[in-house]
Amino acid sequence: MSAYPDPLNKVLVLHGPNLNLLGSREPDIYGYETLDDVNNALREKAVLAGWELNCLQSNHEGVLIDAIQAARTDGTRAIIINPAAYTHTSVAILDALNAFTGKVMEVHISNVHQRETFRQHSYVSLRANGVIAGLGTQGYQAALDAILRAAGQ
Ligand code: DQA
């Protein structure tokens, strides 16, 4: 038996551009909860399950890609990602996720399928194990539930 405790299971939550404005940005579409509210609720659930949860928001594609690449080797078992507008444009984020071997859950706060045509295609969906759209910020909780359940928790 190792003298060291098992490392915690880790999940990474990535938020794409403009999601730092959650709570004040188009609240009729995205609601009034802030990104801190979302992240804190997720962390609470993860900690109860004995998981470490790390969150990152960036308005820059390369920063998100760097974080996905780092997740390949730092023990991260799953990524929850709302790529925001990069959902519909970024082959580079898709490629980075394709190089990650853990679970990927794609979350959209709004129901992108009821919105403009350009929002109805997602590059990330080609890789995602699950896609949640239209549940508001509860979608993030549903994604974490799915990850924990798949891990037997
Ligand atoms: C979004 C939907 C995207 O089309 C949009 O660009 C966003 C947020 C959502 O969570 O509903 O920024 O990903």
Side-chain angles (χ1 to χ4, degrees):
M1 208 171 87
S2 158
Y4 299 99
D6 284 342
L8 283 177
N9 285 321
K10 279 164 64 160
V11 58
L12 175 65
V13 184
L14 291 177
H15 305 281
N18 301 305
L19 289 171
N20 53 314
L21 302 180
L22 212 57
S24 63
R25 166 199 186 202
E26 299 182 272
D28 45 320
I29 298 177
Y30 299 113
Y32 288 95
E33 258 193 287
T34 66
L35 199 61
D36 278 349
D37 294 336
V38 170
N39 289 338
N40 289 339
L42 284 173
R43 201 166 287 116
E44 219 168 275
K45 185 189 281 284
V47 164
L48 281 176
W51 283 52
E52 178 180 321
L53 183 132
N54 298 300
C55 304
L56 174 76
Q57 186 280 329
S58 181
N59 294 327
H60 305 278
E61 193 173 16
V63 173
L64 297 167
I65 291 165
D66 287 346
I68 295 166
Q69 288 189 8
R72 298 174 73 225
T73 54
D74 71 357
T76 297
R77 288 186 61 175
I79 295 176
I80 297 171
I81 183 166
N82 182 347
Y86 289 140
T87 307
H88 320 296
T89 63
S90 181
V91 177
I93 288 178
L94 170 64
D95 284 349
L97 290 170
N98 279 335
F100 172 76
T101 54
K103 276 222 174 323
V104 175
M105 299 296 295
E106 177 182 352
V107 174
H108 300 286
I109 297 165
S110 65
N111 183 351
V112 282
H113 302 289
Q114 282 177 347
R115 301 181 63 194
E116 301 96 321
T117 316
F118 69 84
R119 293 188 204 276
Q120 292 169 24
H121 176 262
S122 165
Y123 285 101
V124 169
S125 293
L126 290 167
R127 166 63 179 89
N129 298 97
V131 182
I132 296 166
L135 295 186
T137 51
Q138 279 304 306
Y140 292 97
Q141 292 275 331
L144 183 55
D145 280 340
I147 288 164
L148 296 177
R149 201 166 287 202
Q153 287 181 287

